[in-house]
Amino acid sequence: MKIKFKITKNSFLKGFMVVTAFLALVRLIFPSVAKDTVSLADSLLKADTADVEVPDSIKLLKQSVVPKSEITKFYKADGNPIKNKIFGVIDYDASFPDSQMVQLATAQKYGVKAVADREDAEARKKELVYIGSNPYFDVKRLSNSVPYLVPRATILLQDIGRNFMDSLQVKGLPLNKIIVTSVLRTKEDVEKLRRHNGNATENSCHLYGTTFDIAYNKYNPVEKEAPGDKLKYILCEVLDDLRKQGRCYIKYEKMQGCFHITVR
């Protein structure tokens, strides 16, 4: 006959208290067991002996330790915040020169087949990702485009918004969100747009879900408004960095007041 043991709430608490008291007693008698784990990891990783094998768990622990330089990234030793300088870029046209021809070739390579109309866009949900306002960026009310992008372009947009927020914090400015002004355009949208916008091309990069526009002259404050010129300089720094990483092509649009961006 099998005897079933049932652990009650009281018996569990009693057992927990006994184990805790035992561990406390061991630590009191043998203080060395409480040696700092990170120090132990350091000593093991610094060991220059073939006979000493460093466990993978210690290696992972060492990798997860936040460097002191990262801890002091936002604050000085006296507790005051560090304000990094704002540089921007030397020249907008020179830093963001990527033409329609360059961006179009990439859009056709990484994008979807040109979308005919809104009904066609809705049918492409397996290929496209819906984008909406979130903690990193806002999407303005769209009249000539629909809020869809291919996955790689969605990731790029998210990274731009997050990097912009990080830069604002590092440079001591109030948090503001970038504003997306145009996303995926259907052939129908392009046709309507060309009737009153001479700059709109028939074979637009926006047709393929790889391209979006970000305003450089307006932002949505999260905390409070910040000087527009400083926000623009910081956005330029973020975009310039991502472009140099080979993540995207960018054109500085003077008339439209935006950065025209295509994912690579």
Side-chain angles (χ1 to χ4, degrees), residues 97-243:
D98 302 315
S99 66
Q100 161 73 8
M101 186 179 297
V102 170
Q103 296 199 37
L104 181 60
T106 301
Q108 292 173 332
K109 179 179 180 180
Y110 294 114
V112 297
K113 182 181 177 182
V115 179
D117 50 32
R118 277 161 168 67
E119 185 177 349
D120 186 20
E122 289 295 320
R124 304 284 193 90
K125 288 184 178 179
K126 289 184 179 180
E127 304 172 84
L128 299 166
V129 177
Y130 172 83
I131 66 160
S133 298
N134 62 46
Y136 296 116
F137 60 82
D138 280 338
V139 180
K140 65 166 283 189
R141 186 174 181 179
L142 303 172
S143 56
N144 295 305
S145 63
V146 287
Y148 293 104
L149 289 171
V150 294
R152 67 193 301 130
T154 304
I155 294 171
L156 173 66
L157 176 56
Q158 194 78 0
D159 287 346
I160 292 172
R162 184 177 61 248
N163 292 357
F164 181 68
M165 286 286 196
D166 289 346
S167 294
L168 291 179
Q169 186 174 12
V170 169
K171 297 175 189 295
L173 268 70
L175 296 182
N176 280 253
K177 294 197 284 187
I178 56 174
I179 300 175
V180 180
T181 58
S182 185
V183 200
L184 170 71
R185 291 177 188 164
T186 67
K187 290 182 177 180
E188 186 177 61
D189 289 325
V190 172
E191 184 179 347
K192 290 179 180 178
L193 195 60
R194 293 188 72 211
R195 294 172 188 170
H196 56 83
N197 185 348
N199 290 323
T201 59
E202 183 177 3
N203 196 8
S204 170
C205 299
H206 287 279
L207 288 166
Y208 305 97
T210 57
T211 306
F212 51 88
D213 296 340
I214 295 177
Y216 58 67
N217 52 11
K218 52 188 174 182
Y219 305 83
N220 280 346
V222 175
E223 300 175 333
K224 61 179 180 179
E225 291 185 4
D229 56 342
K230 291 185 178 180
L231 294 177
K232 182 179 179 180
Y233 296 154
I234 293 173
L235 178 56
C236 285
E237 291 178 8
V238 169
L239 294 178
D240 186 50
D241 181 56
L242 290 170
R243 183 179 179 275

Side-chain angles (χ1 to χ4, degrees), residues 23-24 26-40:
L23 292 175
V26 170
R27 177 170 179 171
L28 184 64
I29 299 173
F30 306 103
S32 61
V33 300
K35 184 177 181 181
D36 182 75
T37 308
V38 176
S39 298
L40 177 60

Side-chain angles (χ1 to χ4, degrees), residues 2-13:
K2 295 183 179 179
I3 300 175
K4 294 182 179 180
F5 293 95
K6 184 178 180 181
I7 301 176
T8 64
K9 181 179 179 180
N10 288 335
S11 61
F12 175 80
L13 290 175

